[in-house]
Each structure stands twice: as structure tokens, then as C-alpha cells.
Amino acid sequence: AQSVSQHNHHVILSEAASLELGCNYSYGGTVNLFWYVQYPGQHLQLLLKYFSGDPLVKGIKGFEAEFIKSKFSFNLRKPSVQWSDTAEYFCAVNAGQAGTALIFGKGTTLSVSS
Amino acid sequence: GAGVSQSPRYKVAKRGQDVALRCDPISGHVSLFWYQQALGQGPEFLTYFQNEAQLDKSGLPSDRFFAERPEGSVSTLKIQRTQQEDSAVYLCASSVGGSSAYEQYFGPGTRLTVT
């Protein structure tokens, strides 16, 4: 069965620090990869997605992620975090077949101090 | 335009009660998903509709859980004889097409507490 692992449960950073959140998945076939973010009191929103092509994808708010197929990884990065990036971040994957559900990791809580 | 809406936002039920949770997807979205999110966990898949057809219900944890989408738009998730382990946030998501490559848009969720 597919699974997603997020390495960090809680990350604490100061503003302007660089961010990297790890995500590994287990599935041997074609996958679509996603990072979702949930700001305090808000619903899940898509940060970025990878379907095919350039393995370095850019999303909203300066976030990017790199798909490394050989490592089954899709790590999220941001060069300089802001206080407003405080949120919970979820990595998710689904198989490249119609109608398949997202499989989520357990999430990483990011706290940014100003 | 309006996003995915869910009602009620909060529901407290006594153990053994039946509950019904409603999801209004984005207008015209073909696909609709229900997820369950326990405290401190990521969302877990419950069931999937394409229009009015329930194509996957493999995630429903027991036969106490039932979902429908009779006219291919609004969906209802019903939980019969609620148990404490059913306490969670229930999320609904919709996407414009039937392919897995389409983004899923999430609603705010319904927080169910079973006492």
C-alpha cells in the first residue's frame, strides 16, 4: 500500500531562516505529488504539485519542491521563511490513475518566530 | 467564486446517535472525496464519487458509515450509532475532473465530537 512519511513533526525557525521539510513516499508506479498547507483557522490549500516534467516545481509564496525519483522523495524548500509561514504542512501522493485518493503524511507543524 | 462548503462546522453527538454531515462542492466539479482527519494526523481517505456514482468506498471504516451524492452535486456523509473513535474532523474535497491529476479543493471540515 502507498504511504507517505514526513520526517519532521515540528520545526521551529526564526524569520529569514531557510526551510526544508522532508517527504518520502512508497509506491513503485507513476505518482502525482502535492504539498498542502493549513494556516491556523483555515482549510487545506495547495502549495504546489508535481505531475511530470521538470522535477523542480515552484509554488505559491516562494515555496519550491524537488522530486527525486531515485530517492522517492519530494522535499519542500523555501530560502527565507516569514512569520506568516507558520502553519501545518502536508505532503500527499496519489497514483497516476483516475479518481484515486490522496495519501497524506502526518504533517509538519512549522512555527516561525519574528 | 465560492469554494467547497461544509455544514455543520461543529457537531457534538452522544454515543449512539446518528449524524449527517453535508458537503457542497464547487459548482461543476465532477469528483468529490471525503476524508477523516484525527487529531495530529493527516487526512485519511474515506470515499470517492464521480458525479453521482460512488466509485470507491474502500476507506469507510465500518458499515456504520454511509455516503451519498444522489444528484451529482451535494454529498452527505452519514454515521450511524456514533462511537467515541469517530471523533475527528471530516473533510470534503472536490476536483473539476475525474483524473487524479486535478487539484483537490478542500472545505473547512466538520469537527465531530462524540461524548
Side-chain angles (χ1 to χ4, degrees):
Chain A
Q2 296 176 48
S3 66
V4 176
S5 296
Q6 292 185 239
H7 313 305
N8 313 99
H9 180 63
H10 193 180
V11 173
I12 302 171
L13 295 173
S14 299
E15 274 194 316
S18 64
L19 170 72
E20 181 161 1
L21 301 182
C23 173
N24 286 87
Y25 66 93
S26 63
Y27 185 70
T30 302
V31 293
N32 303 311
L33 297 156
F34 306 81
W35 275 97
Y36 278 84
V37 61
Q38 188 166 25
Y39 298 104
Q42 297 187 26
H43 56 274
L44 279 166
Q45 303 171 41
L46 184 69
L47 262 184
L48 46 79
K49 60 190 177 187
Y50 172 81
F51 294 150
S52 63
D54 188 344
L56 184 63
V57 293
K58 296 190 184 299
I60 60 172
K61 304 186 180 184
F63 286 91
E64 65 179 30
E66 184 176 12
F67 170 50
I68 302 179
K69 189 174 181 180
S70 61
K71 295 185 178 180
F72 297 89
S73 71
F74 190 56
N75 292 353
L76 181 71
R77 299 194 292 250
K78 186 171 184 179
S80 176
V81 295
Q82 301 174 322
W83 177 81
S84 58
D85 293 325
T86 294
E88 190 153 19
Y89 293 80
F90 293 94
C91 181
V93 60
N94 66 9
Q97 299 162 8
T100 53
L102 291 168
I103 307 298
F104 285 86
K106 290 188 176 183
T108 297
T109 301
L110 172 64
S111 300
V112 180
S113 58
S114 57
Chain B
V4 177
S5 61
Q6 294 185 244
S7 60
R9 292 292 311 278
Y10 303 91
K11 177 70 179 176
V12 179
K14 292 186 177 178
R15 192 161 59 100
Q17 282 185 330
D18 298 349
V19 298
L21 312 180
R22 176 187 168 105
C23 172
D24 281 86
I26 295 172
S27 178
H29 276 198
V30 166
S31 295
L32 186 146
F33 298 82
W34 283 99
Y35 294 86
Q36 180 190 59
Q37 186 175 16
L39 192 62
Q41 303 294 316
E44 292 190 359
F45 169 72
L46 292 176
T47 187
Y48 163 66
F49 290 86
Q50 188 171 112
N51 296 308
E52 68 278 5
Q54 188 175 22
L55 298 186
D56 187 350
K57 53 181 181 180
S58 62
L60 295 176
S62 78
D63 59 6
R64 297 186 295 104
F65 286 71
F66 172 77
E68 59 184 5
R69 193 186 185 198
E71 297 178 357
S73 55
V74 171
S75 177
T76 304
L77 176 67
K78 297 179 179 177
I79 309 174
Q80 298 177 324
R81 304 181 304 281
T82 52
Q83 304 294 315
Q84 283 196 315
E85 61 263 29
D86 300 335
S87 295
V89 175
Y90 290 85
L91 297 169
C92 177
S94 69
S95 66
V96 66
S99 163
S100 61
Y102 290 101
E103 174 184 350
Q104 293 184 27
Y105 294 83
F106 283 82
T110 294
R111 183 178 297 276
L112 172 65
T113 303
V114 181
T115 60

